[in-house]
Amino acid sequence: LDVEQPGAYGRASEAMTDYMYKLSMGLLPHRAESNDFRYVDLGSGTGASAIHLAEKHSLTIAKATCINLCHDQNITANENAAELNLSDKITVIDASFDETPCPSNHYDLAFSQDAYIHATAKFKAYAEAYRVTKPGGAFVFCDLVCGNDPDLTVQELASFAAKNRINDWLNPNQIIKTCTEAGWADVKFIDLSTDLRISFQLMLKKVLFVLEHGDTGSSRS
């Protein structure tokens, strides 16, 4: 990925969305060719991931429920879905991802892309994802996690968490343990830390663009 090209942030986000969806279908091979697949996006932001997937996999995805706390972002999500005639597939709900109004045992997949870093308590967030997912369903999320570098002191980690307002920062082993305690089975961690440098470079470029030109309303600039 050429980080200098216009739209690189959006392409990187979509690439991660596609990777996570492919991973999900690998966990749910019996649902990969269905026409009534339902999933919930927990912490959906402007709905970019859900809109991208609903458009790309329109024959499979019957319903995507977007759970997000920011009302302004949800307005944008609804507007963008309507522009692509996806309003019948995408439902946007103002709610927190750790306490949703969704019915229990309802979705084939619980999905969350770069949202759980804002969780107050990871156990509560993982448990809510478990509650709303059907037995035999899957849970796929990506998150910024605490490293296991022995050279980092407890004070350094705590300082980073405080500066970035991270309430519940877990390392990979703690994430696996917490997911298991929340009810999930066969929990696996995939290390994508080599992508972090590019991710932060793209994030910085987007922030600088917004500061210079203002928010253009594009969720994947």
Side-chain angles (χ1 to χ4, degrees):
L1 179 69
D2 186 352
V3 299
E4 300 301 328
Q5 289 296 315
Y9 184 89
R11 288 195 298 276
S13 295
E14 288 185 351
M16 176 55 74
T17 300
D18 288 336
Y19 170 78
M20 292 172 66
Y21 184 77
K22 183 179 179 180
L23 183 63
S24 303
M25 292 300 99
L27 297 171
L28 301 167
H30 58 294
R31 299 292 287 149
E33 302 299 326
S34 67
N35 61 5
D36 60 349
F37 189 85
R38 292 195 302 255
Y39 88 95
V40 60
D41 187 334
L42 298 163
S44 53
T46 57
S49 294
I51 290 170
H52 173 71
L53 291 177
E55 184 177 31
K56 188 172 183 178
H57 304 282
S58 60
L59 298 179
T60 301
I61 297 175
K63 200 70 176 178
T65 301
C66 295
I67 302 295
N68 193 59
L69 202 55
C70 178
H71 182 66
D72 288 344
Q73 286 183 326
N74 293 343
I75 291 174
T76 299
N78 277 318
E79 290 175 346
N80 290 342
E83 286 179 6
L84 295 171
N85 296 315
L86 292 171
S87 297
D88 60 328
K89 287 183 177 288
I90 295 175
T91 300
V92 182
I93 299 174
D94 286 25
S96 175
F97 52 57
D98 58 8
E99 192 171 349
T100 79
C102 302
S104 299
N105 307 321
H106 186 69
Y107 298 100
D108 296 287
L109 170 69
F111 176 103
S112 184
Q113 183 173 346
D114 300 328
Y116 281 151
I117 191 65
H118 306 296
T120 302
K122 294 290 174 63
F123 174 82
K124 186 177 180 182
Y126 302 160
E128 180 65 1
Y130 183 80
R131 182 187 70 78
V132 302
T133 304
K134 296 176 182 177
F139 177 32
V140 174
F141 67 92
C142 65
D143 191 11
L144 183 65
V145 306
C146 183
N148 290 318
D149 189 339
D151 294 329
L152 290 175
T153 67
V154 173
Q155 290 78 12
E156 287 174 323
L157 293 172
S159 176
F160 180 89
K163 288 179 180 178
N164 291 276
R165 298 184 179 180
I166 302 174
N167 295 297
D168 192 10
W169 202 23
L170 306 182
N171 64 39
N173 291 335
Q174 291 170 326
I175 288 174
I176 292 173
K177 181 175 182 292
T178 305
C179 280
T180 302
E181 291 172 347
W184 294 103
D186 302 320
V187 182
K188 300 291 189 299
F189 173 80
I190 300 174
D191 187 353
L192 298 176
S193 57
T194 54
D195 294 339
L196 274 177
R197 182 183 296 275
I198 293 175
S199 179
F200 280 112
Q201 286 176 336
L202 292 171
M203 191 180 300
L204 176 60
K205 286 181 177 295
K206 181 173 182 179
V207 169
L208 292 176
F209 179 87
V210 171
L211 289 175
E212 182 177 354
H213 302 283
D215 189 350
T216 61
S218 172
S219 59
R220 301 229 183 199
S221 300

